[in-house]
Amino acid sequence: MKVIYDSEVDVLKIVFNELKIDESDEGKPGVIFDYAKDGTIVSMEILDASKMTAPSAFQYEVTGKKRAV
């Protein structure tokens, strides 16, 4: 997973995997989900991120058991 904040365009993007994006959908105003052909969520973008989040001060945490792949 990657978390990318682009301050020039004020977009926060969370990339869950590297699958090819087949479709995008704006779930709520300013929140865009990108999907692979099979419906898997590839990434999520938050537009005007500095107004909706605090992208420069975030914490990353992984909880739960590690899955075998």
Side-chain angles (χ1 to χ4, degrees):
M1 180 173 12
K2 289 190 270 186
V3 178
I4 305 156
Y5 175 65
D6 185 335
S7 61
E8 288 187 28
V9 292
D10 197 20
V11 172
L12 178 67
K13 184 170 187 169
I14 303 169
V15 181
F16 300 108
N17 58 62
E18 297 297 327
L19 297 173
K20 182 179 177 187
I21 296 170
D22 183 62
E23 179 181 352
S24 297
D25 182 33
E26 191 167 4
K28 297 274 185 178
V31 180
I32 300 169
F33 291 93
D34 299 316
Y35 299 94
K37 192 169 190 164
D38 68 356
T40 302
I41 298 174
V42 177
S43 61
M44 178 178 76
E45 294 174 278
I46 301 173
L47 310 179
D48 297 321
S50 65
K51 295 175 187 164
M52 299 178 73
T53 67
S56 61
F58 69 90
Q59 294 180 357
Y60 180 79
E61 182 177 334
V62 177
T63 62
K65 294 182 180 180
K66 186 176 179 180
R67 293 190 316 176
V69 187

